[in-house]
Amino acid sequence: MIVSAGSRIVTPVLGERKMAFWIEKRCILAQQLCCGGSCRGLRLSSRSKTMIFPNGKLDCNNMHIRVCNVVIALVGMRSECDVSATTENLEKMMSRNDQPADEEAIQASKNKLNRKMEGGALIAQFVLKAFAVVNVIAVVAGGALMFLYQLRYNFNAGAFSAGDTLGFVWFILGFLITLFIGLGFGTLAGFPLMRLLHKVAVAGLAIFKRIRRQVGVGQADRWLEDGAPNRLQWEKKQKTMLVAGTVTLLWFGLFIFKMNAQFRIFLIAILAAGMWLSIFVFGELIKNHDRNDDRGPPAKSAHPLGVWFGGLPSKTRNRIVATVVALASQFVFFGYWQDASALAAGFRKQDVSVRLTREDFDSALYQATGKGIVVNSCEQIIPNLTVLHHADILWQNLGSKSLLRFPTVPLGGEESGTVRLELNNSSHNVFGSSSRMPCAEFLSDLLFKEEGSELRTSALPQLASQLSWLQELPSGWFIKVVAHSNADGGEGRKPVETLQQAQALKSHLAKTFGLAPDRVLAVGAEAKFPKQDCTNSGSQRDLCLKIGRRVEVYFVNPD
């Protein structure tokens, strides 16, 4: 068969059987289309000047299947050359037998094609089975991770649906991603620190050896070379990584400085593990000599895993061992990694505002008040607005129940004095972060002695911890202390002079935080702004009135 474009030969002349196999091998789809009658309406290339059929369409019922294959193969070639062929020429070409058939070559080609197709099918089956196995492992590992998470918080997430299994996969993926990203940043930050410590250690050992043995520098260096079975050698051209590592190290230092004490230990552990990993990522332990040379070569393992591991390059083996050691060191901080991964996977929220049902909101309000915790600091509680600010959702989206904690606690922080609520997933709505201008609110009954303005000694640590942000008072701003009371003190109590309470707290804050007295404003609001309406509170009226006796401390812009 010849397809010409001017004087250019595009396709060589083929024999009948070779052409048939060429069509069978490359145009299986075209043959299926033609046999099914799908060739009807399939137009030839618009670039073809000579149309094979007068109407420009293929009719499977009126031509040989092989002819159809050849035509579709030609069209599928999308050649820019002119197609100069007719139906009669194609049929004659298929009926020609002027070239001897190479049966063995054709059979070998068919066997080769069959092997390729069988190999492709085996690969496809392997990929599908591997995906199924990995999916099962991920579901089981994610379920186990979730179970341990619920066990830590003594919480039952309720019923799970079939779709929640995908959540298990996402949970374990979030855990692994968080783990390796954290160790990756730790490795980058530990690289410059480890290089600095290595230089200091080498210089220190050399000086110590020279002083002790009273030998020259060269001999001390030789002692260092011969004294250790391995020496650390850093890879060259690492200036970019050193700069990036230094920036990351400063970022780590900032976080370590600002985080709470428990989470600070966690970050230091990540940095220490990263320093260990940086030795094998950015350097290499080169063997100087083997102290066990006299004992002969070590016995080779007969286990397949040992054989595989022993066949790896030494640098790869060192990196694998270093990674295993680094991961093992993080087992102590497994809970921190769980919390971080739950946060990254979206199953946990920190410091958010949550819209609750009236029943759940009242439950949180009275439980918090019983523990001396203020709900929605510096805000009045409106009957139709049941939004709880500064809360943590410890668990959501998987199962039928969620776990809420109030007030918010930073990752790794102490949970003493918090309130927990188990909620139905459909009974609350998380709609944003609670970050606002700093403001603190304290119950007067816990802050001052009974019906007076003298501060309780037991309240001073709470004031110091919750008002530490007063040291960041913006230039030109003021601090406002507002004391509130009730029209009816409740429990036979009389309303106290709120201005005296505000002034007593003002004096304490100015002395404790070193503030100028003229930058602290004291206001006695009496009962003008109740925390909430206690008219219909019923048996909870005394508790409602207790919530209304409060003191607020916040920044004020003079403008």
Side-chain angles (χ1 to χ4, degrees):
M1 179 176 59
I2 300 177
V3 181
S4 62
S7 60
R8 188 158 51 93
I9 301 298
V10 179
T11 307
V13 178
L14 298 176
E16 176 188 359
R17 298 188 181 182
K18 289 186 177 180
M19 182 188 297
F21 178 64
W22 184 84
I23 295 170
E24 179 182 1
K25 183 177 179 181
R26 293 172 174 79
C27 306
I28 296 176
L29 179 61
Q31 185 176 0
Q32 293 175 350
L33 291 173
C34 194
C35 293
S38 301
C39 292
R40 295 177 181 275
L42 178 63
R43 294 184 177 276
L44 298 176
S45 173
S46 60
R47 297 181 180 181
S48 300
K49 296 180 179 179
T50 303
M51 306 302 293
I52 296 180
F53 298 100
N55 58 359
K57 298 181 179 180
L58 301 178
D59 189 353
C60 297
N61 297 328
N62 297 326
M63 68 177 179
H64 199 275
I65 291 179
R66 291 182 177 179
V67 176
C68 176
N69 289 336
V70 174
V71 174
I72 295 180
L74 291 174
V75 176
M77 289 172 63
R78 297 182 180 178
S79 176
E80 297 182 1
C81 61
D82 296 337
V83 180
S84 56
T86 60
T87 307
E88 293 81 5
N89 293 333
L90 290 173
E91 290 179 347
K92 289 178 181 180
M93 205 175 299
M94 300 303 300
S95 62
R96 281 170 51 184
N97 193 19
D98 54 352
Q99 297 185 8
D102 191 350
E103 297 288 349
E104 294 182 359
I106 293 177
Q107 186 62 36
S109 299
K110 287 185 177 181
N111 294 337
K112 184 177 181 181
L113 178 62
N114 291 335
R115 287 194 298 270
K116 288 184 178 180
M117 295 179 65
E118 291 175 358
L122 291 175
I123 293 175
Q125 292 178 4
F126 174 78
V127 171
L128 291 175
K129 289 182 179 179
F131 178 79
V133 171
V134 170
N135 184 63
V136 171
I137 294 175
V139 169
V140 173
L145 186 65
M146 187 219 66
F147 174 76
L148 293 175
Y149 185 89
Q150 309 292 351
L151 192 64
R152 283 179 53 223
Y153 289 101
N154 192 21
F155 167 67
N156 182 11
F160 291 92
S161 64
D164 287 337
T165 55
L166 295 178
F168 294 158
V169 175
W170 182 240
F171 195 13
I172 193 65
L173 286 178
F175 180 80
L176 295 176
I177 291 172
T178 304
L179 180 64
F180 284 103
I181 287 179
L183 289 178
F185 275 104
T187 302
L188 188 60
F191 175 42
L193 188 58
M194 192 64 195
R195 286 200 66 162
L196 178 62
L197 292 178
H198 176 245
K199 287 185 176 182
V200 171
V202 171
L205 287 173
I207 294 173
F208 175 76
K209 187 63 177 179
R210 288 201 307 271
I211 294 175
R212 180 156 184 172
R213 294 288 183 88
Q214 296 181 355
V215 296
V217 177
Q219 291 178 339
D221 289 340
R222 285 196 298 272
W223 175 82
L224 290 173
E225 292 287 332
D226 298 336
N230 297 286
R231 62 185 175 89
L232 174 58
Q233 179 177 329
W234 299 102
E235 295 181 0
K236 298 179 179 180
K237 298 181 180 180
Q238 295 287 353
K239 292 183 179 180
T240 303
M241 301 307 297
L242 279 173
V243 173
T246 303
V247 174
T248 309
L249 181 61
L250 294 175
W251 179 73
F252 255 83
L254 180 63
F255 266 78
I256 291 173
F257 177 75
K258 287 200 168 186
M259 288 294 177
N260 57 74
Q262 292 186 355
F263 202 74
R264 190 176 301 157
I265 298 175
F266 173 54
L267 293 177
I268 293 175
I270 295 177
L271 185 59
M275 291 174 62
W276 166 253
L277 289 173
S278 68
I279 296 175
F280 304 93
V281 174
F282 300 106
E284 184 178 3
L285 290 177
I286 300 177
K287 181 175 291 187
N288 288 328
H289 61 85
D290 193 349
R291 291 178 176 175
N292 299 321
D293 286 339
D294 298 337
R295 303 179 185 177
K300 294 184 178 180
S301 173
H303 193 276
L305 185 60
V307 174
W308 169 81
F309 186 76
L312 296 175
S314 60
K315 192 172 183 179
T316 303
R317 294 199 305 268
N318 291 338
R319 288 179 174 177
I320 293 175
V321 173
T323 303
V324 171
V325 172
L327 293 176
S329 68
Q330 297 301 307
F331 182 77
V332 180
F333 305 96
F334 181 74
Y336 292 92
W337 289 113
Q338 271 191 317
D339 295 343
S341 60
L343 190 63
F347 301 128
R348 177 180 176 134
K349 301 292 183 181
Q350 290 287 127
D351 196 10
V352 293
S353 297
V354 187
R355 190 185 303 277
L356 304 173
T357 63
R358 168 53 61 181
E359 181 181 358
D360 291 335
F361 184 83
D362 290 341
S363 177
L365 176 64
Y366 293 126
Q367 287 187 50
T369 304
K371 293 185 176 183
I373 303 172
V374 175
V375 174
N376 295 351
S377 298
C378 306
E379 285 188 12
Q380 290 181 289
I381 297 176
I382 303 174
N384 296 329
L385 185 62
T386 56
V387 176
L388 185 64
H389 299 296
H390 299 291
D392 295 334
I393 302 295
L394 299 180
W395 187 258
Q396 65 172 3
N397 296 338
L398 277 183
S400 58
K401 292 184 179 180
S402 300
L403 181 62
L404 179 143
R405 179 179 63 191
F406 175 82
T408 182
V409 176
L411 287 177
E414 295 287 346
E415 290 194 44
S416 58
T418 58
V419 174
R420 289 187 182 182
L421 288 178
E422 293 187 10
L423 310 171
N424 293 324
N425 284 333
S426 58
S427 64
H428 69 281
N429 179 29
V430 180
F431 61 89
S433 174
S434 297
S435 56
R436 300 178 300 162
M437 182 66 70
C439 176
E441 182 177 321
F442 306 92
L443 297 178
S444 298
D445 292 359
L446 302 179
L447 196 61
F448 302 99
K449 293 183 179 180
E450 188 173 356
E451 296 188 25
S453 57
E454 183 179 355
L455 290 170
R456 295 178 183 268
T457 306
S458 59
L460 300 184
Q462 182 184 12
L463 288 173
S465 62
Q466 295 191 20
L467 294 176
S468 58
W469 46 268
L470 293 180
Q471 298 174 347
E472 303 175 1
L473 179 64
S475 178
W477 285 49
F478 296 90
I479 297 173
K480 194 170 185 177
V481 180
V482 182
H484 300 268
S485 183
N486 295 304
D488 181 2
E491 300 177 346
R493 298 163 61 102
K494 297 180 180 179
V496 298
E497 184 64 38
T498 55
L499 180 59
Q500 295 178 1
Q501 291 183 337
Q503 289 175 342
L505 184 56
K506 168 188 173 179
S507 301
H508 173 76
L509 296 179
K511 181 180 179 181
T512 302
F513 296 100
L515 302 171
D518 58 348
R519 298 190 66 185
V520 184
L521 308 177
V523 177
E526 299 295 339
K528 297 178 182 178
F529 307 101
K531 184 72 173 179
Q532 63 177 330
D533 185 8
C534 299
T535 305
N536 299 320
S537 55
S539 60
Q540 301 290 341
R541 186 171 184 273
D542 289 336
L543 188 58
C544 180
L545 294 174
K546 179 181 179 179
I547 297 172
R549 297 189 292 271
R550 67 199 190 278
V551 180
E552 299 172 348
V553 182
Y554 51 88
F555 287 156
V556 176
N557 189 343
D559 298 333

